[in-house]
Amino acid sequence: MYEQPAENKRNKNVVVAENVLKSVEALRKEGTEPTFNAILAYLSSRRILSNHRSLRAYLDTMVKSRLLSLRKEPVKQPNVRPKQVYSLAGSGPFIEAGERAMLFHGLNWTVPSKSSIKMKTDLEGLARARIAQGTVYGSLEDAIVETLAKSKNSQRVFRALTFGAAMLATKKFDYGYLMRRAKERGVEDLVQGLLDEINYLLGSPKPEVDDIRTLYEIRKRLASHARMSLQLKSRKFQLSPDELVDVIGKQLGGK
Protein backbone atom coordinates (compact mmCIF):
# COMPACT_ATOMS: atom_id res chain seq x y z
CA MET A 1 0.00 0.00 0.00
CA TYR A 2 1.29 3.45 -0.87
CA GLU A 3 2.15 5.87 1.92
CA GLN A 4 0.71 9.26 1.05
CA PRO A 5 2.42 12.49 2.14
CA ALA A 6 0.42 14.43 4.73
CA GLU A 7 -0.51 17.22 2.32
CA ASN A 8 -1.72 14.63 -0.20
CA LYS A 9 -4.17 12.95 2.19
CA ARG A 10 -6.65 15.81 2.31
CA ASN A 11 -8.96 17.01 -0.43
CA LYS A 12 -7.80 20.18 -2.09
CA ASN A 13 -10.00 23.27 -2.20
CA VAL A 14 -11.85 23.63 -5.51
CA VAL A 15 -11.89 27.45 -5.31
CA VAL A 16 -8.14 27.52 -4.71
CA ALA A 17 -7.62 25.10 -7.62
CA GLU A 18 -9.64 27.40 -9.89
CA ASN A 19 -7.53 30.38 -8.87
CA VAL A 20 -4.25 28.51 -9.35
CA LEU A 21 -5.40 27.71 -12.88
CA LYS A 22 -6.54 31.28 -13.55
CA SER A 23 -3.26 32.71 -12.24
CA VAL A 24 -1.27 31.03 -15.00
CA GLU A 25 -3.27 32.74 -17.75
CA ALA A 26 -3.54 36.03 -15.85
CA LEU A 27 0.24 36.25 -15.48
CA ARG A 28 0.77 35.56 -19.18
CA LYS A 29 -1.71 38.28 -20.14
CA GLU A 30 0.15 40.85 -18.06
CA GLY A 31 3.46 39.81 -19.61
CA THR A 32 4.85 37.88 -16.64
CA GLU A 33 6.17 34.35 -16.98
CA PRO A 34 4.02 32.05 -14.82
CA THR A 35 6.87 30.56 -12.81
CA PHE A 36 6.34 28.91 -9.46
CA ASN A 37 7.39 32.03 -7.57
CA ALA A 38 5.29 34.33 -9.77
CA ILE A 39 2.21 32.18 -9.24
CA LEU A 40 2.80 32.09 -5.49
CA ALA A 41 3.23 35.89 -5.36
CA TYR A 42 0.05 36.38 -7.44
CA LEU A 43 -2.03 34.12 -5.18
CA SER A 44 -0.49 35.44 -1.97
CA SER A 45 -1.21 39.06 -2.94
CA ARG A 46 -4.88 38.12 -3.30
CA ARG A 47 -4.90 36.17 -0.02
CA ILE A 48 -5.75 32.92 -1.79
CA LEU A 49 -2.67 30.79 -1.06
CA SER A 50 0.70 31.61 0.48
CA ASN A 51 2.16 28.25 1.48
CA HIS A 52 4.92 26.88 -0.78
CA ARG A 53 4.16 23.21 -0.09
CA SER A 54 0.43 23.65 -0.68
CA LEU A 55 0.99 25.37 -4.02
CA ARG A 56 3.44 22.64 -5.00
CA ALA A 57 0.76 20.02 -4.30
CA TYR A 58 -1.77 21.84 -6.50
CA LEU A 59 0.67 22.39 -9.36
CA ASP A 60 2.05 18.84 -9.26
CA THR A 61 -1.48 17.41 -9.43
CA MET A 62 -2.38 19.68 -12.34
CA VAL A 63 0.77 18.76 -14.25
CA LYS A 64 0.42 15.01 -13.62
CA SER A 65 -3.23 15.15 -14.71
CA ARG A 66 -2.23 17.03 -17.92
CA LEU A 67 -4.20 20.13 -17.02
CA LEU A 68 -0.97 22.16 -16.97
CA SER A 69 2.36 21.63 -18.70
CA LEU A 70 5.72 22.38 -17.10
CA ARG A 71 8.82 23.65 -18.85
CA LYS A 72 12.14 23.85 -17.02
CA GLU A 73 14.61 26.49 -18.15
CA PRO A 74 18.24 26.61 -16.97
CA VAL A 75 19.39 29.75 -15.20
CA LYS A 76 22.76 31.47 -15.43
CA GLN A 77 23.49 31.48 -11.70
CA PRO A 78 25.46 28.41 -10.49
CA ASN A 79 23.84 25.95 -8.07
CA VAL A 80 20.37 27.36 -8.73
CA ARG A 81 17.51 25.11 -9.73
CA PRO A 82 16.11 25.46 -13.26
CA LYS A 83 13.26 27.94 -13.63
CA GLN A 84 9.85 26.24 -13.68
CA VAL A 85 7.42 27.80 -16.14
CA TYR A 86 3.80 26.64 -16.26
CA SER A 87 1.27 26.87 -19.08
CA LEU A 88 -2.23 25.60 -19.81
CA ALA A 89 -2.19 22.17 -21.45
CA GLY A 90 -5.86 22.15 -22.41
CA SER A 91 -6.28 18.36 -22.56
CA GLY A 92 -6.89 17.37 -18.93
CA PRO A 93 -7.47 16.86 -16.18
CA PHE A 94 -7.28 13.07 -16.38
CA ILE A 95 -7.33 10.70 -13.41
CA GLU A 96 -6.97 6.95 -12.86
CA ALA A 97 -10.35 5.62 -11.74
CA GLY A 98 -10.45 1.88 -12.37
CA GLU A 99 -9.75 -1.11 -10.17
CA ARG A 100 -6.18 0.13 -9.76
CA ALA A 101 -7.59 3.19 -8.01
CA MET A 102 -9.62 0.98 -5.66
CA LEU A 103 -6.47 -0.99 -4.84
CA PHE A 104 -4.76 2.33 -4.10
CA HIS A 105 -7.62 3.17 -1.70
CA GLY A 106 -7.17 -0.12 0.15
CA LEU A 107 -9.08 -2.85 -1.68
CA ASN A 108 -7.92 -6.02 0.08
CA TRP A 109 -8.12 -8.23 -2.99
CA THR A 110 -5.80 -10.06 -5.34
CA VAL A 111 -6.85 -8.79 -8.76
CA PRO A 112 -5.10 -10.73 -11.57
CA SER A 113 -5.89 -8.22 -14.33
CA LYS A 114 -6.42 -4.80 -12.79
CA SER A 115 -8.51 -2.60 -15.04
CA SER A 116 -7.06 0.83 -15.75
CA ILE A 117 -9.61 3.53 -16.55
CA LYS A 118 -8.25 6.91 -17.53
CA MET A 119 -11.14 9.33 -17.22
CA LYS A 120 -11.42 13.05 -17.82
CA THR A 121 -12.76 14.88 -14.81
CA ASP A 122 -13.50 18.39 -13.57
CA LEU A 123 -11.73 20.47 -10.94
CA GLU A 124 -13.76 18.93 -8.11
CA GLY A 125 -12.75 15.45 -9.20
CA LEU A 126 -9.15 16.60 -9.43
CA ALA A 127 -9.31 18.26 -6.01
CA ARG A 128 -10.32 14.91 -4.52
CA ALA A 129 -7.56 13.02 -6.35
CA ARG A 130 -4.27 11.79 -4.90
CA ILE A 131 -0.81 11.34 -6.46
CA ALA A 132 1.22 8.21 -5.84
CA GLN A 133 4.29 7.15 -7.82
CA GLY A 134 3.47 9.60 -10.60
CA THR A 135 -0.15 8.49 -11.02
CA VAL A 136 -3.14 10.72 -10.21
CA TYR A 137 -5.69 8.41 -8.58
CA GLY A 138 -9.31 9.51 -8.49
CA SER A 139 -11.28 9.50 -5.26
CA LEU A 140 -12.81 6.29 -3.94
CA GLU A 141 -16.22 7.57 -5.06
CA ASP A 142 -15.02 8.22 -8.61
CA ALA A 143 -13.23 4.86 -8.75
CA ILE A 144 -16.38 2.94 -7.77
CA VAL A 145 -18.73 4.89 -10.03
CA GLU A 146 -16.49 4.78 -13.09
CA THR A 147 -15.76 1.07 -12.71
CA LEU A 148 -19.50 0.38 -12.62
CA ALA A 149 -20.18 2.71 -15.54
CA LYS A 150 -17.51 1.02 -17.69
CA SER A 151 -18.74 -2.51 -16.93
CA LYS A 152 -20.60 -3.64 -20.04
CA ASN A 153 -21.65 -7.20 -19.18
CA SER A 154 -23.20 -8.95 -16.19
CA GLN A 155 -19.94 -10.57 -15.12
CA ARG A 156 -18.09 -7.26 -15.06
CA VAL A 157 -20.97 -5.53 -13.25
CA PHE A 158 -20.98 -8.28 -10.60
CA ARG A 159 -17.23 -7.89 -10.11
CA ALA A 160 -17.55 -4.10 -9.88
CA LEU A 161 -20.36 -4.41 -7.34
CA THR A 162 -18.28 -6.88 -5.33
CA PHE A 163 -15.34 -4.47 -5.10
CA GLY A 164 -17.70 -1.56 -4.46
CA ALA A 165 -19.38 -3.42 -1.61
CA ALA A 166 -16.02 -4.20 0.01
CA MET A 167 -15.03 -0.55 -0.06
CA LEU A 168 -18.32 1.18 0.76
CA ALA A 169 -18.90 -1.08 3.77
CA THR A 170 -15.48 -0.46 5.28
CA LYS A 171 -14.18 2.93 4.10
CA LYS A 172 -15.22 6.52 4.68
CA PHE A 173 -16.88 8.19 1.70
CA ASP A 174 -18.87 11.28 0.75
CA TYR A 175 -22.44 10.11 0.14
CA GLY A 176 -23.56 13.29 -1.62
CA TYR A 177 -20.59 13.32 -3.98
CA LEU A 178 -20.90 9.58 -4.63
CA MET A 179 -24.56 9.81 -5.62
CA ARG A 180 -24.04 12.93 -7.73
CA ARG A 181 -21.31 11.20 -9.72
CA ALA A 182 -23.41 8.03 -9.96
CA LYS A 183 -26.32 10.01 -11.39
CA GLU A 184 -24.06 11.71 -13.93
CA ARG A 185 -22.76 8.34 -15.11
CA GLY A 186 -26.14 6.57 -15.18
CA VAL A 187 -25.46 4.09 -12.35
CA GLU A 188 -27.42 5.81 -9.58
CA ASP A 189 -29.81 2.89 -9.05
CA LEU A 190 -26.96 0.38 -8.82
CA VAL A 191 -25.03 2.44 -6.27
CA GLN A 192 -28.11 3.25 -4.18
CA GLY A 193 -29.20 -0.39 -4.24
CA LEU A 194 -25.77 -1.50 -3.10
CA LEU A 195 -25.78 0.99 -0.22
CA ASP A 196 -29.25 -0.15 0.83
CA GLU A 197 -28.12 -3.79 0.88
CA ILE A 198 -25.05 -2.96 2.95
CA ASN A 199 -27.26 -1.02 5.35
CA TYR A 200 -29.66 -3.97 5.58
CA LEU A 201 -26.80 -6.35 6.33
CA LEU A 202 -25.21 -4.16 9.00
CA GLY A 203 -28.36 -2.61 10.46
CA SER A 204 -31.20 -5.10 10.27
CA PRO A 205 -32.07 -6.80 13.60
CA LYS A 206 -32.70 -10.09 11.80
CA PRO A 207 -30.83 -10.22 8.48
CA GLU A 208 -31.40 -13.39 6.47
CA VAL A 209 -27.89 -14.79 6.25
CA ASP A 210 -26.41 -18.22 6.85
CA ASP A 211 -23.01 -17.21 8.22
CA ILE A 212 -24.14 -15.47 11.39
CA ARG A 213 -20.73 -15.85 13.03
CA THR A 214 -18.92 -13.93 10.30
CA LEU A 215 -21.67 -11.31 10.25
CA TYR A 216 -21.25 -10.85 14.00
CA GLU A 217 -17.50 -10.33 13.55
CA ILE A 218 -18.13 -7.85 10.73
CA ARG A 219 -20.56 -5.83 12.84
CA LYS A 220 -18.12 -5.88 15.74
CA ARG A 221 -15.27 -4.63 13.54
CA LEU A 222 -17.42 -1.92 11.97
CA ALA A 223 -19.24 -0.83 15.13
CA SER A 224 -17.65 2.64 15.07
CA HIS A 225 -17.97 3.03 11.29
CA ALA A 226 -20.44 5.82 10.52
CA ARG A 227 -23.37 4.68 8.36
CA MET A 228 -25.84 6.60 6.25
CA SER A 229 -29.53 6.56 7.21
CA LEU A 230 -30.72 4.52 4.26
CA GLN A 231 -33.64 2.20 3.71
CA LEU A 232 -33.38 -1.35 4.97
CA LYS A 233 -33.82 -3.60 1.95
CA SER A 234 -32.94 -7.13 0.93
CA ARG A 235 -33.40 -9.91 -1.58
CA LYS A 236 -33.86 -8.35 -5.03
CA PHE A 237 -30.33 -7.23 -5.69
CA GLN A 238 -27.41 -8.66 -7.67
CA LEU A 239 -25.45 -9.36 -4.50
CA SER A 240 -27.30 -11.42 -1.89
CA PRO A 241 -26.80 -10.78 1.86
CA ASP A 242 -24.75 -14.00 2.08
CA GLU A 243 -22.50 -12.83 -0.76
CA LEU A 244 -22.09 -9.47 0.97
CA VAL A 245 -21.02 -11.20 4.18
CA ASP A 246 -18.36 -13.07 2.21
CA VAL A 247 -17.20 -9.92 0.38
CA ILE A 248 -17.00 -7.68 3.46
CA GLY A 249 -15.45 -10.44 5.55
CA LYS A 250 -12.72 -10.88 2.95
CA GLN A 251 -12.06 -7.13 2.85
CA LEU A 252 -11.63 -7.12 6.62
CA GLY A 253 -9.27 -10.09 6.42
CA GLY A 254 -11.58 -12.56 8.08
CA LYS A 255 -12.39 -14.86 5.16
Side-chain angles (χ1 to χ4, degrees):
M1 186 63 200
Y2 303 109
E3 180 63 27
Q4 300 179 57
E7 68 273 15
N8 199 31
K9 290 182 179 180
R10 298 187 297 270
N11 290 339
K12 296 175 180 62
N13 186 292
V14 178
V15 175
V16 173
E18 290 175 346
N19 279 279
V20 171
L21 199 60
K22 290 177 181 177
S23 70
V24 175
E25 190 63 16
L27 287 168
R28 284 203 178 277
K29 286 182 178 179
E30 68 180 37
T32 302
E33 273 194 320
T35 62
F36 181 90
N37 288 336
I39 294 171
L40 183 63
Y42 179 94
L43 296 171
S44 181
S45 68
R46 288 158 177 77
R47 298 183 179 180
I48 296 168
L49 187 67
S50 59
N51 183 278
H52 284 76
R53 291 185 66 190
S54 295
L55 177 59
R56 177 67 64 196
Y58 278 92
L59 290 173
D60 285 351
T61 302
M62 289 178 176
V63 169
K64 294 293 184 183
S65 68
R66 290 163 34 194
L67 185 59
L68 292 178
S69 60
L70 170 62
R71 185 178 77 257
K72 295 183 179 181
E73 298 180 353
V75 294
K76 296 180 180 179
Q77 296 90 337
N79 302 319
V80 176
R81 290 181 179 180
K83 183 168 56 174
Q84 298 176 330
V85 184
Y86 294 87
S87 59
L88 301 179
S91 59
F94 293 97
I95 57 175
E96 170 72 58
E99 290 167 359
R100 290 184 184 180
M102 280 196 269
L103 289 167
F104 166 76
H105 285 290
L107 179 65
N108 189 22
W109 235 265
T110 299
V111 184
S113 56
K114 303 176 286 291
S115 70
S116 174
I117 300 175
K118 300 292 184 183
M119 64 170 282
K120 188 167 185 177
T121 188
D122 53 22
L123 279 180
E124 183 175 12
L126 187 63
R128 293 170 179 267
R130 302 289 184 270
I131 297 179
Q133 298 185 347
T135 299
V136 184
Y137 289 98
S139 66
L140 175 60
E141 297 88 348
D142 281 317
I144 291 171
V145 167
E146 198 63 20
T147 304
L148 277 170
K150 291 290 186 180
S151 299
K152 300 303 181 183
N153 59 59
S154 58
Q155 184 177 1
R156 292 293 301 179
V157 170
F158 185 84
R159 174 167 157 163
L161 286 172
T162 296
F163 294 160
M167 302 302 282
L168 292 174
T170 60
K171 303 290 182 179
K172 293 180 179 179
F173 62 92
D174 185 327
Y175 174 76
Y177 180 74
L178 174 71
M179 295 312 300
R180 177 153 49 85
R181 289 306 201 197
K183 185 175 182 179
E184 291 171 359
R185 298 294 285 126
V187 292
E188 182 181 16
D189 290 343
L190 272 178
V191 174
Q192 187 64 65
L194 181 56
L195 290 172
D196 287 339
E197 289 304 305
I198 293 171
N199 192 52
Y200 164 78
L201 187 70
L202 301 181
S204 174
K206 295 181 179 180
E208 297 181 21
V209 297
D210 293 329
D211 194 348
I212 297 295
R213 182 176 180 178
T214 299
L215 176 59
Y216 174 78
E217 289 300 321
I218 289 171
R219 288 187 170 185
K220 185 178 178 181
R221 291 276 300 275
L222 299 178
S224 60
H225 190 70
R227 305 230 57 82
M228 300 301 301
S229 298
L230 304 172
Q231 298 180 40
L232 290 176
K233 294 185 178 180
S234 67
R235 315 297 357 124
K236 296 180 181 179
F237 193 70
Q238 297 182 50
L239 286 175
S240 70
D242 282 310
E243 287 170 327
L244 280 175
V245 168
D246 187 65
V247 166
I248 299 170
K250 183 175 180 179
Q251 175 64 24
L252 293 173
K255 297 288 284 185

